[in-house]
Amino acid sequence: MALLAAAALAMLAFVPPAAAADTTPMDPNPGPAGDFAWKGFNWEKRFWGGAPQYNRLFDAANVGNPDANGYVTMKLTNPTGEAPVGAEFQSTRQGFGYGTYSTTVEKDLSLLQKEVVWGCLFTYDPLAEPGYNEIDLCEASAWGGGASYGESWPVTQGHGYWFDAGRPPGEGNNTIVFDVTASPVTTHRMVWEPGRLTFETYAGKGYVGTLLKRTVLEGSTVPVPAKEQVHFNLWVAGGGGGDPAHVKPESVVIRDFSFTPASITPPASPVSAIKLTATTTTAKGVNTTTLKWTGATGVSVALWINGTKKTVLNTGSFVHKFKGGSTTAYKVCDAGGCSSTLSVVT
């Protein structure tokens, strides 16, 4: 028994400590279960090959689970030295839509290899046409460093979206490009509204550091919500004057992600210009209420008496005679709206 206990203790000694679970409460709509839960949502690691990686190689092992700090590390590997392997993960939830998206990233982008593309937070729906609902909050690259001459172009970052992926750059997208800085940490925020996108990139954690770039894009080509998912990827672009096969390993740490849906506020009812007043007299048991109104338009108006509609000429006045004491509710409406309800006690 002592030997068994000792063996069990020895085995336990080799069990790695569990990383602290992310404590962010799950969103009411986190998406189906995936490879890991993080920042309130479920996420899937990409294991399948294909675009945009130039050699179509991706590996789920290149995306780490959230660590004890709640950070996710993505790695670009090159095991043979001649065939780099990309990394990508995406939300399992489809259809985020209008709202505020943000992420905090740990990476000095000024050191990014010229062939590498950091696909910072972006939305994507492969079935949405045109443009796949691709909105790029903070994509960064030198895209190979230059054309066939191999010039060393600087790494730049972009705010923008595709509105027709079948058309060439400059015609098929709406993107503002700006130079990266040597900031080791950057924070990015995007507000997606009907017909409007606002992007912000800050140095450091949160929104108290230097605002590096603010971009507002408006118009009818701004994507409308579909079944977009949130993606992050790290990959290699082919051509462009670079040497994609021989890129060295890279890594990016994503510290945070959040999404706050836009507030859905019902449109306010139009304020009617109709003003209604009433005077009442009583004689021999008969009540006479004289209604007067202003501001109504049209030849006739709808006069509501205790919930019963009566169409009358829009003369600005109406006399209602009835017997017995009671409380009577009146309201006058035209095509644009109604007066406030007026209660008359007789």
Side-chain angles (χ1 to χ4, degrees):
M1 292 294 292
L3 288 174
L4 288 174
L9 289 173
M11 292 177 65
L12 288 173
F14 287 94
V15 176
D22 181 50
T23 58
T24 306
M26 293 300 283
D27 186 88
N29 178 18
D35 294 310
F36 62 96
W38 180 63
K39 303 303 177 183
F41 298 91
N42 290 316
W43 304 85
E44 179 181 24
K45 302 177 183 181
R46 180 171 180 173
F47 60 87
W48 59 95
Q53 170 89 355
Y54 89 100
N55 61 3
R56 307 177 70 83
L57 297 178
F58 285 88
D59 190 345
N62 285 355
V63 178
N65 291 328
D67 64 16
N69 294 313
Y71 300 170
V72 172
T73 298
M74 301 180 68
K75 295 181 179 180
L76 177 72
T77 57
N78 195 344
T80 67
E82 297 184 349
V85 182
E88 182 166 352
F89 70 98
Q90 64 190 39
S91 65
T92 63
R93 169 174 166 174
Q94 298 178 345
F96 280 74
Y98 297 130
T100 300
Y101 302 71
S102 70
T103 186
T104 298
V105 177
E106 184 179 325
K107 177 70 173 179
D108 182 349
L109 291 175
S110 67
L111 303 178
L112 195 72
Q113 293 172 81
K114 64 182 181 180
E115 301 89 353
V116 177
V117 183
W118 163 226
C120 190
L121 189 158
F122 64 100
T123 63
Y124 193 82
D125 176 359
L127 300 181
E129 295 286 356
Y132 310 121
N133 264 35
E134 181 178 346
I135 305 173
D136 298 292
L137 172 54
C138 41
E139 186 176 57
S141 185
W143 302 103
S148 58
Y149 305 102
E151 302 106 274
S152 181
W153 286 4
V155 178
T156 57
Q157 200 157 38
H159 292 155
Y161 64 93
W162 290 87
F163 57 81
D164 189 344
R167 299 168 66 181
E171 297 179 20
N173 59 19
N174 193 350
T175 301
I176 302 298
V177 175
F178 56 100
D179 292 338
V180 300
T181 67
S183 177
V185 176
T186 50
T187 298
H188 313 268
R189 176 166 57 188
M190 174 180 85
V191 181
W192 184 10
E193 304 170 276
R196 179 185 174 97
L197 282 161
T198 303
F199 303 88
E200 294 174 335
T201 291
Y202 294 82
K205 178 182 177 180
Y207 311 114
V208 296
T210 301
L211 176 61
L212 302 177
K213 185 67 176 180
R214 185 175 193 270
T215 302
V216 178
L217 301 175
E218 298 179 291
S220 61
T221 57
V222 170
V224 297
K227 293 184 178 180
E228 62 283 327
Q229 295 166 275
V230 173
H231 293 245
F232 295 86
N233 61 18
L234 187 64
W235 52 282
V236 178
D243 183 10
H246 298 103
V247 298
K248 298 177 182 178
E250 292 262 16
S251 65
V252 176
V253 177
I254 309 169
R255 292 188 176 186
D256 200 7
F257 165 80
S258 69
F259 170 71
T260 304
S263 298
I264 302 175
T265 304
S269 300
V271 177
S272 175
I274 302 174
K275 305 298 182 184
L276 178 65
T277 59
T279 57
T280 298
T281 60
T282 302
K284 298 180 180 180
V286 176
N287 300 306
T288 301
T289 298
T290 302
L291 302 170
K292 291 186 179 296
W293 64 85
T294 60
T297 60
V299 176
S300 60
V301 295
L303 172 62
W304 293 83
I305 303 175
N306 284 339
T308 300
K309 180 181 177 181
K310 183 181 183 69
T311 300
V312 299
L313 291 175
N314 185 16
T315 60
S317 66
F318 180 83
V319 177
H320 182 215
K321 292 186 177 183
F322 59 97
K323 292 184 177 181
S326 64
T327 299
T328 309
Y330 298 97
K331 182 169 64 174
V332 173
C333 303
D334 62 9
C338 299
S339 69
S340 298
T341 300
L342 182 65
S343 295
V344 177
V345 179
T346 55

